[in-house]
Amino acid sequence: MTATAPPVGEPDRTQPRNTPASPAAARLLRLLPAAVAALCGVLLYVSFPPRTLWWLALPAFAGLGWALRGRGWKAGLGLGYLFGLGFLLPLLVWTGVEVGPGPWLALAAIEAVFVALVGAGVAVVSRLPGRPLWAAALWTAGEAARARAPFEGFPWGKIAFGQADGLFLPLAAVGGTPVLGFAVVLCGFGLHEAVRAAVRARRTGRIRRSAAAAALLSVAVPVLGALAARPLVSSEAEDGTATVAVIQGNVPRAGLDFNAQRRAVLDYHARETERLAAEVRAGKADRPDFVLWPENSSDIDPFANADARAVIDRAARAIGAPISVGAVVERDGKLLNEQILWDPAKGPVDTYDKRQIQPFGEYLPLRSLIGAINDEWTSMVSQDFSRGTEPGVFTMAGTEVGLVTCYEAAFDWAVRSEVTDGAQLISVPSNNATFDRSEMTYQQLAMSRVRAVEHSRTVTVPVTSGVSAIIMPDGRITQKTGMFVADSLVQEVPLRSSQTPATRLGVAPEIVLVLVAAGGLGWAVAAGVRGRRAGGV
């Protein structure tokens, strides 16, 4: 009688196992994969900003590969969920800074479901040849789903966003965040296979050439690809330069209630702009070609409030340059999170309305259901914001400036649309005051660094309370502010108009990787069906 391989997706019980010394040892051994999965999730979190330990993502995925290899899909589902919780619970803790732990725990628990599904898929493909490829593609497919659902998605925590300081960053210019993240995960799973092959060779004295080659390629190809992509990363000016001023006015105090102090926030940003204007007149600072204010720098509608309009007019005339003002406005019965192009002579001349608005922050899904559970939540978002429909590219002193408002920076399409619409520079006006001194501002800053390389554009990040920054097209931060201080950044920056492969390809690399994941999963399922049929004969 010949032994048959176990069906793909079912645990392998044909191999001899050592009998544990005691029942207690047996229980510990059974718990070991769960502990490894959860701890590797925490390790992945530690690889994210504000820390610069990007390389920890590799052993995190290597450990996950060890925990999932050879397991059934149900075990993979559970282990994947533990990995997801270990990663997302600490990563997203800032979401509960002002509203308590309930929303934070719910968000992490829901987002971890996507990681659990990926874990089930990775377990199923873990017996296929070239398993790191299928596993990494499945992770990319999971991120693609998480970026689109529920409530139009939540891409926070994409692997690419933890790689702003890493070796693999140039791959963002090749295929955007999907290719960058895929390379990191592929290398991590390949690292597990390489260690496993080395241990096996040492124990048996034999090398399985196909397995060793697959492991080597899984590690080497992402590294070599990143090195080959470095020429795509450049900070050379193509369309001359512009001198930009980024204003951080600060807020009276942190927390959700800062919106009750709307006039103070506006006054702070106008005051910092006027202070900069005085330095320019005194020869202590370069004269900016244009000025960028953050999101919510005027929560008083300047179209409806003469006092707010006068404050902004005065600041624009003082600096003698156009200003992009972040405002909350009401127009035709709609509430809009808007950037307003404010000319020092003409006043408001153009607008951009935020398109990717934040669920539970700027609009409330399932309002009636949530109100029945807790009416305090509905009062916090008493009126839903409306969405813009068009890209926002302002012509400011001859420079095409693309606007990506805060939360939008996490979405691939929202950033790319500004570049394909002609942006020579990207601005990411944000308001992080709600999240106090949490890691949120550093996580978002890392996103902007990845976007700079992805599209080869200077990126400015004006924030109400910090950290504001100027980022070169190669991802380097050249200036930044502290948190909860009033400050301004002035710098001559390169302007670029060429498009990277990532910009030109758009969503195509992600679609290809999703199809690869589907192909690997289909192969594994078909192989499992054949194995079960053969075993039943």
Side-chain angles (χ1 to χ4, degrees):
M1 181 180 294
T2 58
T4 59
V8 174
E10 295 296 329
D12 187 351
R13 299 184 178 89
T14 64
Q15 300 300 320
R17 298 188 177 185
N18 295 326
T19 302
S22 68
R27 285 194 295 272
L28 287 175
L29 284 174
R30 285 197 296 270
L31 290 174
L32 183 59
V36 168
L39 289 174
C40 284
V42 175
L43 193 65
L44 181 60
Y45 156 70
V46 175
S47 75
F48 271 65
R51 295 157 296 278
T52 57
L53 303 173
W54 58 270
W55 51 271
L56 286 179
L58 303 182
F61 280 103
L64 180 63
W66 175 87
L68 293 175
R69 191 180 190 282
R71 305 212 172 257
W73 70 268
K74 292 180 182 178
L77 193 72
L79 293 170
Y81 195 71
L82 289 173
F83 182 83
L85 288 178
F87 171 46
L88 294 168
L89 276 172
L91 185 81
L92 302 178
V93 68
W94 51 267
T95 60
V97 166
E98 291 295 333
V99 294
W104 159 51
L105 294 173
L107 177 62
I110 292 169
E111 294 298 310
V113 170
F114 291 91
V115 184
L117 294 172
V118 171
V122 171
V124 169
V125 302
S126 66
R127 292 190 186 85
L128 294 180
R131 50 191 146 266
L133 171 67
W134 314 116
L138 280 164
W139 184 274
T140 304
E143 286 192 339
R146 197 160 65 85
R148 291 166 173 82
F151 312 125
E152 298 192 330
F154 187 73
W156 217 279
K158 272 190 168 186
I159 299 305
F161 297 148
Q163 297 295 310
D165 292 292
L167 168 70
F168 300 99
L169 180 60
L171 290 170
V174 176
T177 60
V179 168
L180 173 54
F182 171 79
V184 175
V185 179
L186 176 63
C187 196
F189 281 125
L191 180 63
H192 163 247
E193 293 298 322
V195 171
R196 185 173 179 275
V199 170
R200 181 187 179 93
R202 183 172 182 177
R203 187 175 67 245
T204 65
R206 296 191 302 272
I207 297 177
R208 294 180 59 185
R209 292 184 179 179
S210 60
L216 180 62
L217 287 172
S218 299
V219 174
V221 169
V223 173
L224 294 175
L227 295 176
R230 292 183 70 178
L232 295 174
V233 181
S234 173
S235 288
E236 295 296 320
E238 295 176 336
D239 305 316
T241 62
T243 301
V244 58
V246 170
I247 301 297
Q248 178 175 300
N250 202 12
V251 298
R253 61 180 180 270
L256 288 174
D257 62 347
F258 95 91
N259 279 329
Q261 308 164 61
R262 295 177 298 171
R263 179 56 189 267
V265 175
L266 172 58
D267 287 345
Y268 282 14
H269 284 82
R271 185 185 308 162
E272 181 60 26
T273 304
E274 291 166 0
R275 187 194 66 80
L276 175 61
E279 289 195 348
V280 170
R281 289 192 297 271
K284 297 179 180 179
D286 293 335
R287 180 175 295 279
D289 295 313
F290 52 89
V291 180
L292 301 170
W293 283 11
E295 177 189 35
N296 298 126
S297 46
S298 177
D299 276 339
I300 300 176
D301 185 348
F303 296 107
N305 188 292
D307 287 348
R309 184 180 185 117
V311 169
I312 300 170
D313 270 333
R314 186 172 65 248
R317 287 196 298 268
I319 197 66
I323 303 176
S324 178
V325 178
V328 174
V329 305
E330 190 166 355
R331 185 179 298 116
D332 300 325
K334 297 179 179 179
L335 194 63
L336 299 165
N337 186 338
E338 191 165 82
Q339 288 289 312
I340 306 169
L341 175 54
W342 208 282
D343 185 88
K346 302 176 183 177
V349 294
D350 201 358
T351 60
Y352 166 64
D353 299 323
K354 187 176 182 181
R355 294 170 292 166
Q356 187 70 46
I357 58 177
Q358 182 182 352
F360 304 100
E362 292 171 307
Y363 78 100
L364 197 61
L366 309 174
R367 180 177 288 274
S368 59
L369 176 61
I370 291 173
I373 298 171
N374 189 333
D375 58 2
E376 290 185 6
W377 293 349
T378 58
S379 64
M380 289 170 61
V381 188
S382 57
Q383 181 180 352
D384 292 342
F385 279 78
S386 295
R387 305 170 188 275
T389 58
E390 299 295 330
V393 179
F394 288 168
T395 301
M396 304 184 74
T399 298
E400 300 300 309
V401 180
L403 284 306
V404 180
T405 305
C406 196
Y407 185 59
E408 293 182 319
F411 292 83
D412 296 345
W413 68 269
V415 185
R416 178 177 179 268
S417 67
E418 312 303 67
V419 179
T420 57
D421 205 47
Q424 299 167 298
L425 176 149
I426 298 170
S427 182
V428 186
S430 302
N431 169 28
N432 297 339
T434 300
F435 305 109
D436 202 5
R437 297 181 180 272
S438 70
E439 293 182 356
M440 182 270 186
T441 189
Y442 299 103
Q443 293 171 8
Q444 191 176 54
L445 185 60
M447 290 182 195
S448 296
R449 295 178 63 192
V450 173
R451 298 305 186 190
V453 174
E454 181 179 13
H455 299 292
S456 195
R457 294 293 187 273
T458 297
V459 176
T460 61
V461 186
V463 184
T464 51
S465 57
V467 175
S468 298
I470 296 175
I471 305 166
M472 292 293 99
D474 61 5
R476 288 180 298 117
I477 296 176
T478 53
Q479 290 191 64
K480 64 179 181 179
T481 70
M483 295 185 72
F484 292 99
V485 294
D487 204 352
S488 55
L489 308 174
V490 181
Q491 185 174 322
E492 184 180 13
V493 299
L495 303 178
R496 295 177 61 85
S497 57
S498 63
Q499 294 188 359
T500 63
T503 307
R504 292 193 296 270
L505 291 170
V507 76
E510 186 176 55
I511 292 174
V512 169
L513 290 171
V514 170
L515 291 175
V516 170
L521 203 56
W523 180 12
V525 171
V529 171
R530 287 195 301 269
R532 282 191 292 272
R533 286 175 178 172
V537 174

